[in-house]
Each structure stands twice: as C-alpha cells, then as structure tokens.
C-alpha cells in the first residue's frame, strides 16, 4: 500500500527534523561533558586538581566509561537556583572497567555548586549505588565536594541519609572504595567512613566533621584545614584514611591495583593471577632477616616480601598502628590477607590501635573470601594505665572476635615469641586456625622465661645465697621445660614445626588444600561484636 500525500509530507518533516534533533543531542552531551563555565575548569586546574571526568579517565580502562543521567538537572527554586541548572547537577555517575572487570563510579564535579550535594545530585548517586549492588560490582567514589547544598535545605540532608543507608547495605556485599580528592566536611564525611578503604592525596584532601572556623569559635584553637583533616593526619593520627599519596595519578593507579586483588562481590573468590615466581622457591634470606635472639628487632615486612609472589604486597594503614602490619598480597597467584606483628615498632606488642586495625582487616578479608595468613611474633599486650582506662579489654577483644568469627581459610605461623593472651588472639589453633605452624625459633608460652622464673621461683631466688645466679638457673630451667620449640608441637597446639626456608611452599600447599573449605556457621541474624 502506497503512502498518501499527507503521509509523505509527515515522513519528510520527520526526516528533516532528525538531523536537528541529533545535533541538539550532541550539543547537550558536549555541554554536559565540558561543563557550563570554561573558567571553572581553569580554576580547578590552578588548584592542582583534575576535573571529575579527568579523574574517571585515570581510574577506568580507556574508553570503557558509560555515563548515567548525564542530562539530569535539579528542579529546585529560590536563592537563584532556578537560573543555575547545569546538566549532571555536579556529579558524574556511571560504570566502566578496570583490567576488564566492571566497576561503578561516581565523581563530584567541584566546578558546579562546589560539588555540593542537592536532591537531584543525591538521587544520581543513589541510582548508581543501587546498580552496583544489583550488578555485584565494586563501587568507587571520587570525593570533592563542599557538603550539603544549603539552598536546598533538608532535601539535601535527606540525600545523605540515602547514601549512608546504601553504604551500609553494600557493606560486605561489594567492595566500596572512597578516594578523597578535595574537601569532605560535616555529615558528608560519614559516607567514606562507612566504606572499606579510604585513599587520600596530600595537599588536596581534607576530611573533618567541623571545620577550622567552628573549632576556633568553640574551643579557641587555631588550626589549618590540612592540620585538622589532611591526608597525613588521617593516615597516621586518626586512622581514618588507609592510604596516602603525593599525587592523584599515583593514588588512582593504586586504586586500580587494589581492585585487581579483590573479588567483585562476596559471592566470588578473588581473581587468580599466576606469575613466574616458583611455588617451591626457598626463602634462604629468612634465616638472615629474623634473629634467633628474641630481644633483637627486625622488619616483618622483609619477611612478607620474601614469602609472597614477586615480593609484592599492598600494605593497609601503613602509617597508623605500625606495631601490626596488614597487607594484601598473592601466593601462587591467589590473593591473601596477611596480619603480622611488627617487632621494629613497640616490639610488636598488641595495643588498642593495633587490635582495632587488625580486627577490621580480618573482617574485610572474611567478608570477601580472602584467606588469612598470620605471622606471629608478639610479646603480649601493651601494659599501662592509659591502655586499661581506654578499654584495651573490650577493644582488644575486637581482634579476638574477628578471628573467631572468620570462616575463610586461616593459617598461622609462629616465628619467635608468642606469649600469653596475645598468642591466643593472633589466630592460634585454639580459636580456629585451620593450620598452625611454627619455626624452630618459636617461644610459645604464658610469658617469657625471665618473667615466668621471677614469678614461679620468687621465694627460692630470694632465699638463695646468690639470688642472681639462682635467677639465671631458674630461667634456664623454665625455658628448658616449658619454652622449648617443640613443647607446643608435642601437645598438638601446632600442626608442624617447619624449616623457615620452606614457609612459602608450605603456605601455598596449605592454601590449595583449604581452597574448598566449607565452614558450618550457626544460624543467626548477626553477631554482637565488642565495641
């Protein structure tokens, strides 16, 4: 049937309009990409900061980004807002890939409203978070915003509530990473705090609940933004930030590396990446690194480097609570989480900060099916009035709870000292380690021989003609009877005493055996960990 004259006319009009509509679409999308004010981009660059899209391009594989709601605009009015309705509303959202694996991202655009969050802005973030949870893929936020958009009032505040609720819903389901690339003040700071990892860049990152002006008004203290909540403050003092870097390029490259170590969600195992490092490579350097004398220090990171694939690991919270080391690495291509006492910092004792640092790392690894390797060289918990008054009992129990609750494969290796309650807490066999190993230099005991002899043989030492000679005799007696390297093995408290040079090979064999571990956990809504 042939079209009538009127139908031909309508079709012709539609065809003539099509190029115009496509041209308009192209113009609008280009406007959204460029932003409404070229000078705003210049100001961003003048501060040493990249734009939101430039940051996304560094994070994701080239050409992989798919944007969501690029043409979104706010509907607010009053205070001049009706005349300022830029596309994207100050946040770029979408998904792309990192080494070929899907990753969702949102990035505040400081050029619009200073990156402040309004209702439409928040709804875009809510949508991309929901998409990430539904797709089972990691979520990365690139934060550079001035908090809530004051002109929109309580609607902006409610937008934060929706973000917090989704952060909590996604916790333990998909990896969540926050990258601080500008200011993050007030309630906005709680979203990064709810995520798994926080990256910060020196010179441009600031996080605080109340800014310097409020602090000065209330307390009289004068402080700069950087001294109050800069990258190094949160990486080394507060423990809020897990990583701090000198520049954005390095920071985002490390985010990509972290993502390569993690599974996309809690239903998957971490990706395997086999290299050329032989499984049975002997660790001869371990005999040089770790002194037999338990009073001599060494750097546990050298031990980790010798054991893991290609000596490569990613330390978490390196500048905070340095007496315990938490790191992600690979063994025969399989991602593992390593928790280790650090003898070169406070002799490797456990204290409040170390316990909390280790506990959260253990919980993260358990949530995302990452096996745990624990390297033990611990003289005990840190004694002191401050530690007791600040809650070492309940806060130290966090690490104990995290280990006991973990159902992933768990292997512990006692290198030297393992004394008292700290030995039990550091994933001993008695709290559920699947494989418990020890080096011949191990000293597993209630306490060191010197302290134990002073307690057990106090009267005999005091009554002796030569108390010091008697004390040395009793120390040797106690060490010979209860602290020799095979005492725990004889009682089945460690599965084997191994040659240190074989540590890498033994760990890899054990991990292969445990790869299909199936833990039978009691049914419950959730536990109630110590606070």
């Amino acid at each position: 049937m042939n079209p009538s004259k009127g139908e031909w006319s309508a079709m012709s009009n539609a065809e003539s309009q099509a190029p115009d509509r496509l041209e308009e679409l192209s113009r609008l999308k280009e406007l959204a990409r460029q932003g409404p004010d070229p000078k705003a981009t210049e100001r961003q660059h003048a501060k040493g900061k990249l734009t939101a899209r430039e940051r996304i391009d560094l994070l994701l594989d080239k050409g992989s980004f798919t944007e969501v709601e690029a043409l979104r605009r706010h509907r607010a009015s009053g205070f001049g807002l009706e005349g300022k309705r830029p596309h994207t509303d100050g946040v770029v959202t979408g998904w792309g890939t990192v080494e070929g694996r899907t990753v969702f991202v949102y990035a505040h655009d400081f050029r619009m409203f200073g990156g402040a969050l309004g209702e439409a802005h928040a709804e875009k973030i809510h949508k991309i978070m929901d998409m990430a949870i539904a797709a089972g893929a990691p979520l990365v936020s690139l934060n550079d915003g001035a908090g809530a958009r004051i002109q929109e009032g309580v609607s902006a505040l409610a937008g934060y509530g929706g973000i917090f609720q989704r952060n909590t819903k996604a916790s333990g389901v998909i990896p969540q990473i926050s990258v601080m690339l500008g200011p993050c003040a007030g309630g906005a700071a709680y979203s990064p705090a709810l995520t798994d990892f926080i990256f910060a860049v020196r010179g441009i990152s600031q996080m605080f609940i109340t800014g310097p002006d409020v602090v000065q008004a209330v307390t009289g203290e004068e402080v700069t933004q950087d001294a109050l909540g800069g990258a190094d403050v949160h990486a080394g003092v507060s423990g809020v930030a897990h990583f701090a870097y000198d520049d954005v390029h390095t920071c985002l490259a490390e985010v990509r590396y972290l993502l390569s170590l993690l599974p996309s969600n809690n239903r998957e195992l971490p990706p395997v990446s086999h290299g050329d490092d032989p499984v049975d490579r002997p660790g001869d350097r371990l005999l040089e690194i770790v002194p037999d004398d338990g009073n001599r220090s060494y750097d546990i990171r050298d031990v980790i480097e010798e054991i893991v694939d290609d000596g490569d690991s990613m330390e978490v919270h390196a500048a905070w609570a340095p007496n315990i080391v938490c790191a992600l690495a690979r063994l025969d291509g399989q991602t593992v989480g390593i928790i280790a006492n650090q003898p070169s910092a406070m002799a490797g004792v456990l204290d409040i900060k170390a316990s909390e640092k280790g506990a959260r790392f253990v919980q993260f690894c358990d949530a995302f099916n990452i096996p745990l390797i624990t390297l033990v060289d611990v003289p005990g918990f840190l004694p002191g009035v401050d530690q007791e008054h600040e809650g070492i009992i309940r806060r130290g129990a966090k690490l104990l709870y995290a280990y006991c609750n973990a159902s992933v494969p768990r292997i512990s290796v006692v290198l030297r000292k393992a004394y008292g309650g700290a030995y039990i807490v550091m994933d001993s066999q008695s709290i559920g380690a699947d494989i418990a190993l020890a080096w011949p230099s191990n000293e597993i005991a209630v306490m060191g021989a010197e302290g134990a002899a002073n307690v057990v043989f106090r009267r005999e030492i005091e009554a002796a003609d030569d108390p010091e000679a008697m004390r040395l005799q009793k120390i040797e007696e106690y060490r010979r009877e209860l602290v020799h390297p095979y005492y725990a093995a004889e009682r089945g408290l460690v599965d084997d005493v191994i040659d240190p040079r074989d540590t890498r090979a033994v760990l890899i064999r054990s991990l292969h055996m445990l790869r299909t571990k199936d833990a039978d956990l009691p049914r419950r809504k959730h536990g109630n960990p110590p606070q």
Side-chain angles (χ1 to χ4, degrees):
M1 180 177 179
N2 294 326
S4 66
K5 183 177 180 180
E7 290 172 329
W8 275 117
S9 177
M11 292 172 63
S12 177
N13 288 337
E15 289 173 358
S16 66
Q17 293 173 8
D20 293 338
R21 290 178 177 175
L22 292 176
E23 182 179 339
E24 181 183 25
L25 175 62
S26 177
R27 180 181 62 81
L28 288 175
K29 289 202 169 184
E30 183 60 25
L31 180 62
R33 281 192 290 269
Q34 295 298 327
D37 183 4
K39 292 184 179 179
T41 301
E42 294 175 9
R43 289 192 294 270
Q44 185 82 342
H45 287 164
K47 296 175 185 176
K49 297 164 67 175
L50 301 177
T51 66
R53 295 178 188 280
E54 289 169 339
R55 292 163 174 170
I56 290 173
D57 287 343
L58 284 176
L59 173 67
L60 300 177
D61 296 338
K62 186 176 181 180
S64 69
F65 181 57
T66 299
E67 190 168 354
V68 175
E69 294 196 353
L71 303 182
R72 185 71 180 265
R73 303 165 79 184
H74 73 75
R75 297 172 292 181
S77 61
F79 305 101
L81 283 178
E82 61 273 10
K84 297 178 181 178
R85 300 181 63 231
H87 294 294
T88 73
D89 200 49
V91 63
V92 181
T93 61
W95 75 87
T97 60
V98 171
E99 296 189 5
R101 299 165 65 217
T102 300
V103 172
F104 288 80
V105 62
Y106 68 87
H108 299 296
D109 193 337
F110 196 82
R111 301 173 303 165
M112 303 175 198
F113 306 110
L117 181 137
E119 184 179 21
H121 183 123
E123 288 174 352
K124 287 184 64 175
I125 295 175
H126 296 167
K127 175 178 282 190
I128 211 66
M129 296 179 79
D130 289 339
M131 292 175 69
I133 295 169
L139 175 70
V140 179
S141 63
L142 305 179
N143 298 269
D144 186 5
R149 199 173 298 171
I150 298 172
Q151 300 94 321
E152 295 195 29
V154 72
S155 296
L157 290 178
Y160 276 124
I163 294 173
F164 303 157
Q165 189 269 341
R166 287 167 174 82
N167 284 137
T168 304
K169 180 180 178 181
S171 181
V173 178
I174 57 172
Q176 299 180 84
I177 299 172
S178 298
V179 189
M180 314 313 296
L181 299 170
C184 185
Y190 283 114
S191 177
L194 289 168
T195 61
D196 298 306
F197 297 104
I198 296 176
F199 287 72
V201 178
R202 296 180 179 94
I204 63 172
S205 299
Q206 296 100 31
M207 295 177 69
F208 34 73
I209 298 300
T210 54
D213 293 341
V214 177
V215 170
Q216 184 175 4
V218 175
T219 70
E221 298 173 282
E222 293 187 18
V223 64
T224 65
Q225 287 192 349
D226 208 49
L228 181 63
D232 287 323
V233 168
H234 286 308
V237 180
S238 71
V240 170
H242 300 80
F243 307 95
Y245 298 98
D246 290 329
D247 61 88
V248 176
H249 290 75
T250 302
C251 178
L252 293 178
E254 290 299 296
V255 174
R256 286 177 57 88
Y257 178 58
L258 174 59
L259 287 167
S260 75
L261 293 166
L262 305 180
S264 293
N265 56 65
N266 64 344
R267 302 182 301 277
E268 297 180 2
L269 293 175
V272 176
S273 178
H274 290 293
D276 299 324
D277 200 349
V279 170
D280 57 354
R281 168 175 55 78
D284 294 330
R285 280 192 63 240
L286 292 173
L287 300 180
E288 303 171 6
I289 294 169
V290 182
D292 285 334
D293 182 355
N295 294 319
R296 289 180 59 195
S297 178
Y298 64 95
D299 192 335
I300 193 66
R301 290 172 295 191
D302 293 336
V303 174
I304 294 171
E305 181 180 349
E306 185 65 21
I307 292 172
V308 302
D309 291 357
D310 303 311
D312 195 13
S313 65
M314 187 174 195
E315 187 174 353
V316 178
H317 264 148
W320 186 65
N323 43 319
I324 195 168
V325 171
C326 300
L328 292 164
R330 286 191 173 97
L331 280 170
D332 194 28
Q334 180 180 354
T335 300
V336 295
I338 298 174
I339 304 95
N341 306 113
Q342 175 58 291
S344 67
M346 300 168 61
V349 296
L350 289 178
D351 65 350
I352 287 172
K353 290 181 179 179
S355 298
E356 292 185 334
K357 172 180 170 178
R360 192 156 194 274
F361 184 74
V362 168
Q363 288 169 177
F364 173 81
C365 290
D366 185 51
F368 290 102
N369 309 310
I370 299 172
L372 293 166
I373 306 294
T374 304
L375 304 178
V376 185
D377 192 346
V378 62
F381 281 93
L382 180 65
V385 174
D386 288 346
Q387 288 287 305
E388 297 294 344
H389 287 186
E390 291 177 16
I392 184 62
I393 295 173
R394 63 180 174 83
R395 296 163 78 176
K398 291 181 181 182
L399 181 56
L400 177 61
Y401 185 97
Y403 268 125
C404 291
N405 200 47
S407 60
V408 292
R410 292 157 49 189
I411 304 171
S412 66
V413 185
V414 178
L415 310 188
R416 290 194 316 187
K417 299 185 294 294
Y419 295 159
Y423 153 64
I424 299 298
V425 169
M426 289 296 293
D427 207 20
S428 62
Q429 187 188 77
S430 60
I431 65 168
D434 297 296
I435 300 291
L437 305 168
W439 286 4
S441 50
N442 81 81
E443 295 181 9
I444 302 174
V446 175
M447 63 175 66
E450 292 84 356
N454 291 337
V455 173
V456 176
F457 305 109
R458 178 174 59 85
R459 292 183 179 177
E460 293 177 54
I461 293 172
E462 290 175 349
D465 294 334
D466 186 345
E468 180 59 20
M470 177 61 72
R471 190 180 74 86
L472 294 175
Q473 176 184 329
K474 292 302 182 181
I475 288 173
E476 181 57 33
E477 180 182 335
Y478 186 88
R479 180 177 285 116
R480 185 173 59 251
E481 293 296 324
L482 296 176
V483 193
H484 66 79
Y486 306 105
Y487 184 86
E490 290 170 357
R491 285 152 183 80
L493 299 176
V494 297
D495 295 297
D496 197 10
V497 179
I498 63 171
D499 186 328
R501 294 170 293 185
D502 297 334
T503 303
R504 170 178 165 83
V506 173
L507 288 175
I508 290 173
R509 288 199 301 269
S510 300
L511 285 171
H512 285 174
M513 179 274 291
L514 291 167
R515 194 166 179 82
T516 55
K517 176 185 175 181
D518 183 17
D520 185 17
L521 298 176
R523 183 177 179 181
R524 62 183 176 185
K525 186 176 181 180
H526 57 73
N528 186 25
Q531 297 299 317

